[in-house]
Amino acid sequence: MLRVGIGYDIHRLVRHRKLVLGGVHMPFAKGLHAHSDGDVLLHALCDALLGAAGLGDIGIHFPNTDTRYKNISSLKLLEAVNCAILERGYKVSNIDSVLIADSPKISPYRNSIIKNISSTLKIKSAQVNIKATTSEGIGPIGSKAIASYAVALLLKVKRKH
Ligand code: MG
């Protein structure tokens, strides 16, 4: 049985924050405003995985009012989401994603992002695809904020116990 899920996230770019995307710290003048590390790519991915498994969304699992998640690495959230879907008897078939950022350039970090995601989800790098695009400077998404979309396809490997 196949299950598909979609995720979307956006965070504002602000000064005095580290920029972390796909678990990779990118030297940049601004970072993303959030309760956690603001990793929009991983948040969109968590929502895609949770959605595919019928497990709600990231806000239900990791409320931004909970001090345990303050500045937490979103790789830890992704790891917890992976545990939740494995427990439900699913495994990841593949994931695909789009990052929308006018800058910095994502391509130099692409392989590191794929490595972070595949090793956290314990899947092959060929099962993870990352795409990056800009908004061509025509709107706030990409310049004032960074956004991400993700989809995940899960396979049911065992019955829920
Ligand atoms: Mg978020």
Side-chain angles (χ1 to χ4, degrees), residues 22-61:
V24 178
H25 172 228
M26 303 178 183
F28 192 57
K30 292 179 178 180
L32 295 170
H33 179 72
H35 183 68
S36 67
D37 64 358
D39 194 325
V40 284
L41 174 58
L42 297 189
H43 295 176
L45 181 53
C46 284
D47 265 356
L49 292 165
L50 290 169
L55 291 172
D57 66 32
I58 195 170
I60 295 171
H61 292 264

mmCIF file of all heavy atoms in Angstrom, residues 22-61:
data_model
loop_
_atom_site.group_PDB
_atom_site.id
_atom_site.type_symbol
_atom_site.label_atom_id
_atom_site.label_comp_id
_atom_site.label_asym_id
_atom_site.label_seq_id
_atom_site.Cartn_x
_atom_site.Cartn_y
_atom_site.Cartn_z
ATOM 1 N N GLY A 22 18.070 22.127 5.659
ATOM 2 C CA GLY A 22 18.416 20.716 5.473
ATOM 3 C C GLY A 22 19.482 20.264 6.468
ATOM 4 O O GLY A 22 20.272 19.371 6.169
ATOM 5 N N GLY A 23 19.504 20.902 7.627
ATOM 6 C CA GLY A 23 20.483 20.539 8.663
ATOM 7 C C GLY A 23 21.883 21.051 8.390
ATOM 8 O O GLY A 23 22.821 20.713 9.101
ATOM 9 N N VAL A 24 22.018 21.910 7.370
ATOM 10 C CA VAL A 24 23.335 22.455 7.019
ATOM 11 C C VAL A 24 23.385 23.940 7.390
ATOM 12 O O VAL A 24 22.503 24.716 6.994
ATOM 13 C CB VAL A 24 23.623 22.304 5.508
ATOM 14 C CG1 VAL A 24 24.972 22.930 5.151
ATOM 15 C CG2 VAL A 24 23.574 20.842 5.102
ATOM 16 N N HIS A 25 24.387 24.320 8.155
ATOM 17 C CA HIS A 25 24.568 25.730 8.484
ATOM 18 C C HIS A 25 25.210 26.443 7.299
ATOM 19 O O HIS A 25 26.272 26.042 6.830
ATOM 20 C CB HIS A 25 25.444 25.868 9.748
ATOM 21 C CG HIS A 25 25.819 27.276 10.032
ATOM 22 N ND1 HIS A 25 27.102 27.661 10.326
ATOM 23 C CD2 HIS A 25 25.075 28.404 10.031
ATOM 24 C CE1 HIS A 25 27.128 28.971 10.504
ATOM 25 N NE2 HIS A 25 25.920 29.434 10.328
ATOM 26 N N MET A 26 24.545 27.471 6.802
ATOM 27 C CA MET A 26 25.055 28.217 5.642
ATOM 28 C C MET A 26 25.445 29.621 6.080
ATOM 29 O O MET A 26 24.589 30.374 6.548
ATOM 30 C CB MET A 26 23.966 28.313 4.569
ATOM 31 C CG MET A 26 23.464 26.953 4.141
ATOM 32 S SD MET A 26 22.152 27.083 2.920
ATOM 33 C CE MET A 26 21.760 25.334 2.741
ATOM 34 N N PRO A 27 26.703 29.986 5.943
ATOM 35 C CA PRO A 27 27.111 31.340 6.311
ATOM 36 C C PRO A 27 26.308 32.362 5.495
ATOM 37 O O PRO A 27 26.313 32.306 4.266
ATOM 38 C CB PRO A 27 28.597 31.385 5.924
ATOM 39 C CG PRO A 27 29.019 29.959 5.839
ATOM 40 C CD PRO A 27 27.812 29.189 5.403
ATOM 41 N N PHE A 28 25.567 33.239 6.187
ATOM 42 C CA PHE A 28 24.677 34.187 5.509
ATOM 43 C C PHE A 28 24.363 35.308 6.493
ATOM 44 O O PHE A 28 24.443 35.118 7.706
ATOM 45 C CB PHE A 28 23.387 33.450 5.092
ATOM 46 C CG PHE A 28 22.507 34.217 4.136
ATOM 47 C CD1 PHE A 28 23.001 34.666 2.922
ATOM 48 C CD2 PHE A 28 21.173 34.482 4.446
ATOM 49 C CE1 PHE A 28 22.194 35.370 2.041
ATOM 50 C CE2 PHE A 28 20.355 35.175 3.573
ATOM 51 C CZ PHE A 28 20.871 35.618 2.366
ATOM 52 N N ALA A 29 24.002 36.478 5.974
ATOM 53 C CA ALA A 29 23.766 37.646 6.836
ATOM 54 C C ALA A 29 22.536 37.486 7.719
ATOM 55 O O ALA A 29 22.432 38.119 8.763
ATOM 56 C CB ALA A 29 23.614 38.890 5.968
ATOM 57 N N LYS A 30 21.611 36.642 7.314
ATOM 58 C CA LYS A 30 20.366 36.470 8.067
ATOM 59 C C LYS A 30 20.071 34.991 8.293
ATOM 60 O O LYS A 30 20.639 34.125 7.617
ATOM 61 C CB LYS A 30 19.193 37.099 7.307
ATOM 62 C CG LYS A 30 19.270 38.613 7.227
ATOM 63 C CD LYS A 30 18.099 39.162 6.445
ATOM 64 C CE LYS A 30 18.153 40.683 6.397
ATOM 65 N NZ LYS A 30 17.025 41.228 5.636
ATOM 66 N N GLY A 31 19.164 34.747 9.223
ATOM 67 C CA GLY A 31 18.686 33.391 9.461
ATOM 68 C C GLY A 31 17.177 33.411 9.547
ATOM 69 O O GLY A 31 16.555 34.462 9.334
ATOM 70 N N LEU A 32 16.582 32.271 9.836
ATOM 71 C CA LEU A 32 15.125 32.177 9.825
ATOM 72 C C LEU A 32 14.540 32.274 11.234
ATOM 73 O O LEU A 32 14.976 31.577 12.146
ATOM 74 C CB LEU A 32 14.691 30.880 9.134
ATOM 75 C CG LEU A 32 15.083 30.853 7.643
ATOM 76 C CD1 LEU A 32 14.864 29.483 7.040
ATOM 77 C CD2 LEU A 32 14.316 31.918 6.862
ATOM 78 N N HIS A 33 13.575 33.189 11.352
ATOM 79 C CA HIS A 33 12.918 33.427 12.639
ATOM 80 C C HIS A 33 11.994 32.251 12.956
ATOM 81 O O HIS A 33 11.108 31.924 12.172
ATOM 82 C CB HIS A 33 12.107 34.720 12.551
ATOM 83 C CG HIS A 33 11.377 35.036 13.807
ATOM 84 N ND1 HIS A 33 12.021 35.470 14.942
ATOM 85 C CD2 HIS A 33 10.064 34.952 14.119
ATOM 86 C CE1 HIS A 33 11.138 35.657 15.903
ATOM 87 N NE2 HIS A 33 9.947 35.348 15.427
ATOM 88 N N ALA A 34 12.228 31.612 14.105
ATOM 89 C CA ALA A 34 11.402 30.463 14.492
ATOM 90 C C ALA A 34 11.699 30.086 15.927
ATOM 91 O O ALA A 34 12.688 30.530 16.510
ATOM 92 C CB ALA A 34 11.713 29.271 13.585
ATOM 93 N N HIS A 35 10.823 29.251 16.482
ATOM 94 C CA HIS A 35 11.047 28.714 17.832
ATOM 95 C C HIS A 35 12.181 27.692 17.802
ATOM 96 O O HIS A 35 13.050 27.682 18.656
ATOM 97 C CB HIS A 35 9.749 28.056 18.323
ATOM 98 C CG HIS A 35 9.829 27.529 19.714
ATOM 99 N ND1 HIS A 35 9.941 28.353 20.807
ATOM 100 C CD2 HIS A 35 9.814 26.269 20.202
ATOM 101 C CE1 HIS A 35 9.987 27.617 21.912
ATOM 102 N NE2 HIS A 35 9.916 26.349 21.566
ATOM 103 N N SER A 36 12.178 26.849 16.754
ATOM 104 C CA SER A 36 13.254 25.868 16.563
ATOM 105 C C SER A 36 14.382 26.548 15.784
ATOM 106 O O SER A 36 14.493 27.765 15.775
ATOM 107 C CB SER A 36 12.718 24.665 15.780
ATOM 108 O OG SER A 36 12.404 25.077 14.454
ATOM 109 N N ASP A 37 15.196 25.757 15.088
ATOM 110 C CA ASP A 37 16.256 26.362 14.271
ATOM 111 C C ASP A 37 15.709 26.971 12.975
ATOM 112 O O ASP A 37 16.455 27.555 12.199
ATOM 113 C CB ASP A 37 17.377 25.348 13.982
ATOM 114 C CG ASP A 37 16.910 24.166 13.135
ATOM 115 O OD1 ASP A 37 15.710 24.098 12.791
ATOM 116 O OD2 ASP A 37 17.747 23.295 12.829
ATOM 117 N N GLY A 38 14.401 26.806 12.717
ATOM 118 C CA GLY A 38 13.761 27.453 11.568
ATOM 119 C C GLY A 38 14.045 26.789 10.231
ATOM 120 O O GLY A 38 13.910 27.418 9.181
ATOM 121 N N ASP A 39 14.392 25.523 10.276
ATOM 122 C CA ASP A 39 14.780 24.803 9.053
ATOM 123 C C ASP A 39 13.532 24.456 8.224
ATOM 124 O O ASP A 39 12.933 23.391 8.371
ATOM 125 C CB ASP A 39 15.552 23.535 9.452
ATOM 126 C CG ASP A 39 16.281 22.892 8.289
ATOM 127 O OD1 ASP A 39 15.757 22.928 7.167
ATOM 128 O OD2 ASP A 39 17.368 22.342 8.530
ATOM 129 N N VAL A 40 13.149 25.380 7.357
ATOM 130 C CA VAL A 40 11.898 25.217 6.585
ATOM 131 C C VAL A 40 11.868 23.944 5.750
ATOM 132 O O VAL A 40 10.821 23.325 5.606
ATOM 133 C CB VAL A 40 11.605 26.402 5.627
ATOM 134 C CG1 VAL A 40 11.099 27.597 6.357
ATOM 135 C CG2 VAL A 40 12.779 26.741 4.764
ATOM 136 N N LEU A 41 13.009 23.570 5.210
ATOM 137 C CA LEU A 41 13.047 22.368 4.371
ATOM 138 C C LEU A 41 12.689 21.138 5.205
ATOM 139 O O LEU A 41 11.849 20.322 4.799
ATOM 140 C CB LEU A 41 14.442 22.220 3.739
ATOM 141 C CG LEU A 41 14.706 20.946 2.951
ATOM 142 C CD1 LEU A 41 13.722 20.760 1.815
ATOM 143 C CD2 LEU A 41 16.131 20.945 2.393
ATOM 144 N N LEU A 42 13.316 21.016 6.368
ATOM 145 C CA LEU A 42 13.026 19.851 7.213
ATOM 146 C C LEU A 42 11.615 19.911 7.787
ATOM 147 O O LEU A 42 10.977 18.867 7.973
ATOM 148 C CB LEU A 42 14.069 19.708 8.323
ATOM 149 C CG LEU A 42 15.503 19.444 7.858
ATOM 150 C CD1 LEU A 42 16.387 19.098 9.055
ATOM 151 C CD2 LEU A 42 15.585 18.337 6.813
ATOM 152 N N HIS A 43 11.107 21.121 8.039
ATOM 153 C CA HIS A 43 9.735 21.233 8.543
ATOM 154 C C HIS A 43 8.732 20.794 7.477
ATOM 155 O O HIS A 43 7.765 20.085 7.772
ATOM 156 C CB HIS A 43 9.421 22.668 8.984
ATOM 157 C CG HIS A 43 10.243 23.108 10.159
ATOM 158 N ND1 HIS A 43 10.191 24.378 10.688
ATOM 159 C CD2 HIS A 43 11.148 22.428 10.909
ATOM 160 C CE1 HIS A 43 11.028 24.449 11.710
ATOM 161 N NE2 HIS A 43 11.625 23.298 11.852
ATOM 162 N N ALA A 44 8.957 21.214 6.238
ATOM 163 C CA ALA A 44 8.072 20.793 5.147
ATOM 164 C C ALA A 44 8.153 19.275 4.978
ATOM 165 O O ALA A 44 7.136 18.602 4.780
ATOM 166 C CB ALA A 44 8.465 21.493 3.845
ATOM 167 N N LEU A 45 9.351 18.750 5.117
ATOM 168 C CA LEU A 45 9.548 17.311 4.976
ATOM 169 C C LEU A 45 8.866 16.540 6.110
ATOM 170 O O LEU A 45 8.212 15.509 5.871
ATOM 171 C CB LEU A 45 11.055 17.010 4.945
ATOM 172 C CG LEU A 45 11.464 15.574 4.789
ATOM 173 C CD1 LEU A 45 10.801 14.934 3.580
ATOM 174 C CD2 LEU A 45 12.986 15.491 4.659
ATOM 175 N N CYS A 46 8.997 17.032 7.343
ATOM 176 C CA CYS A 46 8.314 16.401 8.480
ATOM 177 C C CYS A 46 6.809 16.371 8.224
ATOM 178 O O CYS A 46 6.144 15.359 8.475
ATOM 179 C CB CYS A 46 8.584 17.161 9.776
ATOM 180 S SG CYS A 46 10.215 16.891 10.478
ATOM 181 N N ASP A 47 6.251 17.477 7.743
ATOM 182 C CA ASP A 47 4.809 17.538 7.483
ATOM 183 C C ASP A 47 4.404 16.592 6.357
ATOM 184 O O ASP A 47 3.331 15.988 6.415
ATOM 185 C CB ASP A 47 4.383 18.971 7.143
ATOM 186 C CG ASP A 47 3.875 19.702 8.380
ATOM 187 O OD1 ASP A 47 3.781 19.075 9.456
ATOM 188 O OD2 ASP A 47 3.559 20.897 8.265
ATOM 189 N N ALA A 48 5.243 16.447 5.344
ATOM 190 C CA ALA A 48 4.940 15.515 4.253
ATOM 191 C C ALA A 48 4.914 14.075 4.787
ATOM 192 O O ALA A 48 4.006 13.294 4.466
ATOM 193 C CB ALA A 48 5.969 15.654 3.129
ATOM 194 N N LEU A 49 5.884 13.735 5.611
ATOM 195 C CA LEU A 49 5.957 12.374 6.177
ATOM 196 C C LEU A 49 4.795 12.115 7.129
ATOM 197 O O LEU A 49 4.157 11.055 7.079
ATOM 198 C CB LEU A 49 7.293 12.179 6.901
ATOM 199 C CG LEU A 49 8.539 12.159 6.008
ATOM 200 C CD1 LEU A 49 9.808 12.325 6.845
ATOM 201 C CD2 LEU A 49 8.604 10.878 5.190
ATOM 202 N N LEU A 50 4.512 13.095 7.997
ATOM 203 C CA LEU A 50 3.395 12.933 8.940
ATOM 204 C C LEU A 50 2.072 12.842 8.184
ATOM 205 O O LEU A 50 1.203 12.039 8.521
ATOM 206 C CB LEU A 50 3.367 14.114 9.928
ATOM 207 C CG LEU A 50 4.504 14.148 10.952
ATOM 208 C CD1 LEU A 50 4.523 15.488 11.681
ATOM 209 C CD2 LEU A 50 4.390 13.000 11.950
ATOM 210 N N GLY A 51 1.937 13.665 7.155
ATOM 211 C CA GLY A 51 0.713 13.650 6.358
ATOM 212 C C GLY A 51 0.506 12.308 5.673
ATOM 213 O O GLY A 51 -0.597 11.758 5.675
ATOM 214 N N ALA A 52 1.577 11.770 5.108
ATOM 215 C CA ALA A 52 1.472 10.483 4.416
ATOM 216 C C ALA A 52 1.070 9.371 5.384
ATOM 217 O O ALA A 52 0.353 8.444 5.013
ATOM 218 C CB ALA A 52 2.792 10.150 3.728
ATOM 219 N N ALA A 53 1.535 9.460 6.616
ATOM 220 C CA ALA A 53 1.221 8.427 7.608
ATOM 221 C C ALA A 53 -0.090 8.703 8.337
ATOM 222 O O ALA A 53 -0.503 7.914 9.190
ATOM 223 C CB ALA A 53 2.371 8.322 8.619
ATOM 224 N N GLY A 54 -0.746 9.820 8.017
ATOM 225 C CA GLY A 54 -2.001 10.168 8.686
ATOM 226 C C GLY A 54 -1.795 10.567 10.131
ATOM 227 O O GLY A 54 -2.630 10.285 10.998
ATOM 228 N N LEU A 55 -0.673 11.204 10.401
ATOM 229 C CA LEU A 55 -0.314 11.530 11.784
ATOM 230 C C LEU A 55 -0.370 13.028 12.085
ATOM 231 O O LEU A 55 0.339 13.513 12.959
ATOM 232 C CB LEU A 55 1.096 10.986 12.094
ATOM 233 C CG LEU A 55 1.233 9.463 12.176
ATOM 234 C CD1 LEU A 55 2.696 9.050 12.290
ATOM 235 C CD2 LEU A 55 0.448 8.917 13.352
ATOM 236 N N GLY A 56 -1.180 13.759 11.345
ATOM 237 C CA GLY A 56 -1.344 15.181 11.658
ATOM 238 C C GLY A 56 -0.225 16.028 11.106
ATOM 239 O O GLY A 56 0.221 15.827 9.978
ATOM 240 N N ASP A 57 0.251 16.973 11.913
ATOM 241 C CA ASP A 57 1.303 17.879 11.425
ATOM 242 C C ASP A 57 2.337 18.159 12.506
ATOM 243 O O ASP A 57 2.193 17.751 13.662
ATOM 244 C CB ASP A 57 0.705 19.165 10.852
ATOM 245 C CG ASP A 57 0.019 20.033 11.904
ATOM 246 O OD1 ASP A 57 0.453 20.036 13.069
ATOM 247 O OD2 ASP A 57 -0.953 20.723 11.545
ATOM 248 N N ILE A 58 3.346 18.881 12.114
ATOM 249 C CA ILE A 58 4.505 19.134 12.979
ATOM 250 C C ILE A 58 4.115 19.926 14.233
ATOM 251 O O ILE A 58 4.679 19.712 15.314
ATOM 252 C CB ILE A 58 5.607 19.835 12.140
ATOM 253 C CG1 ILE A 58 6.962 19.814 12.838
ATOM 254 C CG2 ILE A 58 5.214 21.242 11.747
ATOM 255 C CD1 ILE A 58 8.105 20.267 11.935
ATOM 256 N N GLY A 59 3.123 20.808 14.090
ATOM 257 C CA GLY A 59 2.682 21.627 15.223
ATOM 258 C C GLY A 59 2.029 20.805 16.329
ATOM 259 O O GLY A 59 2.107 21.140 17.507
ATOM 260 N N ILE A 60 1.388 19.703 15.934
ATOM 261 C CA ILE A 60 0.763 18.807 16.919
ATOM 262 C C ILE A 60 1.846 18.061 17.689
ATOM 263 O O ILE A 60 1.774 17.915 18.903
ATOM 264 C CB ILE A 60 -0.168 17.787 16.209
ATOM 265 C CG1 ILE A 60 -1.347 18.501 15.546
ATOM 266 C CG2 ILE A 60 -0.643 16.710 17.188
ATOM 267 C CD1 ILE A 60 -2.187 17.598 14.645
ATOM 268 N N HIS A 61 2.864 17.611 16.963
ATOM 269 C CA HIS A 61 3.908 16.788 17.582
ATOM 270 C C HIS A 61 4.928 17.613 18.357
ATOM 271 O O HIS A 61 5.455 17.152 19.373
ATOM 272 C CB HIS A 61 4.618 15.949 16.511
ATOM 273 C CG HIS A 61 3.728 14.895 15.927
ATOM 274 N ND1 HIS A 61 3.727 13.595 16.369
ATOM 275 C CD2 HIS A 61 2.785 14.972 14.955
ATOM 276 C CE1 HIS A 61 2.823 12.900 15.686
ATOM 277 N NE2 HIS A 61 2.238 13.716 14.814
#
